[in-house]
Amino acid sequence: MRKLRLYLLLFTGGLLTACQTEQLPTQQEIAPGVIKLQAGEIDTYTPYALFGGKPALEAMKQLPTAELPFSPDEVRIQVKDRGCMVEVPLADDEQLYGFGLQIETFGQRGMRKRPIVNDNPLNGLGYTHAPQTFYVSTKGYGILVNTARYTTFLCGSNQKKQQNLQDAEGRKKIATTTEDLYKNRSNGNKVYIDIPGAKGIEVFVITGPEILDVVKRYNLLSGGGCLPPMWGLGFKYRVKGDAVQDSVIRFADYFREKQIPCDVLGLEPGWQTAAYSCSYIWSEERFPKHKEMLDQLKQKGYKVNLWEHAYVHPSSPIRKDMEPYSGDFLVWNGLVPDFLTPEARKIFSDYHRTLVEEGISGFKLDECDNSNISYASATWCFPDAAQFPSGIDGEQMHQIFGSLYVNTIDSIYREMNTRAYQDYRSSGMFMSSRNAVLYSDTYDHKEYIQALCNSAFGGLLWCPEVREAHSAEDFFHRLQTVILSPQAMVNAWYLQYAPWLQFDRGKNERGEFLPEAQEYEAYACTLINLRMQLIPYIYNAFYAYYKEGIPPFRPLLMDYPKDKRLRDISNQYMIGDGLMAAPLYENKKSRTVYFPEGTWYNFNTNEKYEGNKEYEINTEFDQLPLYVRQGTLLPLSEPVPYVDPQTVFNLHCKVYGTPTASCQLLEDDGISYNFKKGEYNIVTLEADKGEVKLKRTKEGDLKRYQLSGYEFIN
Amino acid sequence: MRKLRLYLLLFTGGLLTACQTEQLPTQQEIAPGVIKLQAGEIDTYTPYALFGGKPALEAMKQLPTAELPFSPDEVRIQVKDRGCMVEVPLADDEQLYGFGLQIETFGQRGMRKRPIVNDNPLNGLGYTHAPQTFYVSTKGYGILVNTARYTTFLCGSNQKKQQNLQDAEGRKKIATTTEDLYKNRSNGNKVYIDIPGAKGIEVFVITGPEILDVVKRYNLLSGGGCLPPMWGLGFKYRVKGDAVQDSVIRFADYFREKQIPCDVLGLEPGWQTAAYSCSYIWSEERFPKHKEMLDQLKQKGYKVNLWEHAYVHPSSPIRKDMEPYSGDFLVWNGLVPDFLTPEARKIFSDYHRTLVEEGISGFKLDECDNSNISYASATWCFPDAAQFPSGIDGEQMHQIFGSLYVNTIDSIYREMNTRAYQDYRSSGMFMSSRNAVLYSDTYDHKEYIQALCNSAFGGLLWCPEVREAHSAEDFFHRLQTVILSPQAMVNAWYLQYAPWLQFDRGKNERGEFLPEAQEYEAYACTLINLRMQLIPYIYNAFYAYYKEGIPPFRPLLMDYPKDKRLRDISNQYMIGDGLMAAPLYENKKSRTVYFPEGTWYNFNTNEKYEGNKEYEINTEFDQLPLYVRQGTLLPLSEPVPYVDPQTVFNLHCKVYGTPTASCQLLEDDGISYNFKKGEYNIVTLEADKGEVKLKRTKEGDLKRYQLSGYEFIN
């Protein structure tokens, strides 16, 4: 049912120039509330075709229907010689969010955004570890351009000449600063989307009515959010890059002896005989008996995670087999597997299965992004013009490489009916259901908090990891934030000792501990124990992510779409439905916290705050900058040193500002995908008449939770 | 005579994928020593077609012929679905330079360069005010890709998998710093050039035998270098953006009263009724009698330069006429003229002719580049996907916009047989013959010096302008550098008073002068007078630029191609054949200066230095960091307060380390193009037997030079 219109572009004044075809896009509802517009010839590899998965149709049907603020007919698609141009209406009072893991900006209106995969975001242009050609609007809809091509979004930053001639007076004030000269005075009434090279395009219009509904639909469209293994919600520590077998064991013993909870130890490049590029062979020099070590770690309750990247070293056992299924350019002399071919995926996953079977619980997939630095690091950027056996070019491969890579590894675990929880440095669209967390080297704490907010718009998980610091404030504020994130990880890949003993990198290397080392160790231990207390609550937030598509960590505006003050707040976020985090940063002992409507409680002190107001609040190093919504029943677990399938969580429930409240918890084995087959209970905690009771949907062997106490806070 | 080969890409291992056409390029010598390779369908608008001009064939024939280090057949051109890919051989010991006005890097080997027009270079990627898809090699050839498309050069930074499998051992050392991890270990044997979107391409191979010969050929290919008006080589001062008629006159009087030479006063945005975008109408509010002011300035010996950009404000008299000949997007609510159409050029130049006839000697063409900043300045970037009546898109228009703009204005002066000397913020290829100088806001002094070296590879002129400073060292070192550049300009567009009175911006605004203001004013006066002394010498260096294509300001490696130490020296440069500048920077009173072979003399002290050696040399604030090559006859003029057509330069000649030497000077009216019609003398200064004599080719009315004295320095 494709209609074609032939346009003659007539320029005012009678100049006749080019003729071009504008195609009236076809429209199709591909899932409840998701309309696909399509024009022209679609690329072989699109994010949705590759990663879209199976929509969770039943859950999508439960969502309210919504009117769009414009008709889908008003979304214009032009297929031109240069590529495709999409135009989407934009209202005056509309704000936009999204484009993947943006770390520099939050509201995107008035900006030119280029969500292109990169390790080093710059000038707010949109370069990111996880690019998404997808934005959501405060008007309650989302626009997703289903392409792996480098795409530019002009978010009301530019105006066409037909649109705006009113400012006839111009600026009379003469600016004498650059800022003043160049400030953005545009308020265009369109989003223009430029997709060079595309011969056709699919645009998904995702309906609301509110932003949270749009995000839910987006997550459900690829099957719903992920559910990490329960141990993944504990604490992870990555040891130094050149660690050897003995030093790893020393770290393992350190945590247990000091009673600092730790679930996962991560090994960095040194486990391999060659890194940059990778051999994927255990180094006998540094790990003479790695199997023995893995057994010891398992007995001590640890999971083990291995660093690698995808570039296959000449000495790797899979090098020869991978040769025909790799791109035509090398990276660090390593082959770049074409994970679009089943052969490359098989070779890679067959080999890695052996590592998994030896006891590896997940991998850290490094440098699967790209870099826009010319100098040193150009080497890990295979060219945009590279060619791959599957027929894709380097540009499009870059945008999806991280997703293909993590899926290849994840498939090993899925086949084994085991949930992994991996680290990866690049993601993209339709990855909501993947058990993997993004990380970065950029290390600006304020931006890391903002990234946590932005990750929610596109089904991404983000670890605002902590390493070294320049002060105790800097260190503990970072640790507090990472504790209140999808993955509580310290990534000490260049630190000899735990950073709470010495957060200065040079002094840490030399073993010069801080005078306060013991005190700080105790603070860190307290914070990590608080994380362990929150595991049941966070696990259940993930269950809502899986089942309903609700991001477990999300900006406040998703929960309070009518509160316009929240449009700019990207340094506070919700965790599940009852908790709000407001991390400290910039070395200040206190910060201003804005509370949306209702009444809120300080998690540490039980102090009460009224909504629609700001408060200046102090948080100590060993406290969490965490607030509880009135009406919440918060189940806190007695901390355990690590989580295993036998762990039973003893719950102490805190009921905030209400006599009646309830809370549900997913009770399953915590490690397999059996929950998808119905092998779970729902545990309900109910407060009523001054007491809290625990019920479960069915009684049986599966008992992860038991009630150990409760209190009512008013 | 196009041959086509059909390739079946067979991947090792037997995987059969795409088929693609590789075209054997046609070869044609388009000018002596310039071979054009061509394949596929060429874009309508290419830099050479637009700006190439008429090659100076006679001068090109004088150049030595050269063997290429490879056969042109080895330059491979592929026309693919994605665009064109060009592959050029690269030897192990080869270094590359060029890509336009690069400011962050000098030797480009091992880098990924993207010469894309931009106001804000980043990460050494190649973004620049003056992008050129052109590099030169120490092997004595140049490669020019004749395209206005965004092009990426992989300068040996990446390797194909067929090429390099030797490093089978890999890296055994485990890096624990990011620098160490990511250092560039590539040394590819090809330059890969990616031109997305192109359906065909022309590649010019420009022969040497040395880099200087390549550069000469490149400059001569578009008719030879420019010759500025003599007054353009004097001193230019740009007053504050919000200056009014009285304050401009006060500045004019200040220079004359203090006997500080000044040829040109530049007015910033405030002269117009509307700027951002521009009305091009004199503001009666700030300049109630602008014609009277222009007359006064003329009588005081000043030329006047006006700031503007090309974006046409709704209130501009040319707005309505320009409407049909402008792009479909606005910039600051202004129309973007499509200078590719004769109509836009005519409307724009007809209007500006009135301004010129009132006495304007040139314009400062701002913001004709682009920006890669998302936040504030996105507004002056018309989209890459913009469309223009000529049929070009925004991407290609961006790359040539500055060149088209400056040519439009320059054409007014050419028609009047008058040489202008303009400022512009964007240039491109084949602009050698244009009387215009680039400037920038980036303001890193060391990079500014490096840009001076890089400008020489592509026929560009660069003004490392000075404004405010953070110390006396910083200020005077900047002033020294700009004095030793193509345009000696202070760009005080946000300073109330001359910066030598107070170089701190805030204090300058408040009129709080430095305690040393009087002393510093005297130093500045001395330095500017030194510039006036150098005018005849510099003017003649420009004549060699015009006639032989020799850049007047150039890196040392052009003059000493065999000295490999010079491959990395980008903080020293030649001025003409006899002078070398080694500017100070980074607040140090002295610096290391490397002298190439031969003997050199300190311009200030006559101290002698032996070549192939380094010296640590001190330079005072009121001296120039300038060195003279043995054998040079340096004609220094008695300073004049400004240059006019009647100016006669009294020459004091200094002869360095030799009894016999000579020097030639172009003697013409200094303002018109009559020199092209033979209306000039060549004045020869000859030292022999202890005296210096002046001769001219023909005696007549034209006498710009007279000999007033000489000295021999040994």
Side-chain angles (χ1 to χ4, degrees), chain A residues 12 112 165 319 323-324 371, chain B residues 12 112 161 165 319 324 371:
Chain A
T12 323
R112 176 169 46 134
L165 300 174
R319 172 80 176 210
E323 189 94 25
S371 176
Chain B
T12 323
R112 176 170 47 134
K161 67 180 171 189
L165 301 174
R319 172 80 177 210
S371 176

Side-chain angles (χ1 to χ4, degrees), chain A residues 12 17 112 125 158-159 161 164-165 170 182 199 276 313 319 323-324 326 330 333 367 371-372 376 381 389, chain B residues 12 17 81 112 125 158-159 161 164-165 170-171 182 313 319 323-324 326 330 333 367 371-372 376 381 389:
Chain A
T12 323
T17 54
R112 176 169 46 134
L125 274 172
N158 295 70
Q159 293 163 292
K161 66 181 171 188
N164 194 327
L165 300 174
Y182 294 163
K199 294 189 174 74
Y276 296 88
H313 191 264
R319 172 80 176 210
E323 189 94 25
S326 60
L330 299 169
N333 210 19
E367 286 118 1
S371 176
N372 56 17
C381 312
Chain B
T12 323
T17 53
D81 193 45
R112 176 170 47 134
L125 274 173
N158 295 71
Q159 294 163 293
K161 67 180 171 189
N164 194 327
L165 301 174
R171 293 161 68 207
Y182 293 162
H313 190 265
R319 172 80 177 210
E323 189 94 25
S326 60
L330 299 169
N333 209 20
E367 286 117 1
S371 176
N372 57 17
C381 312

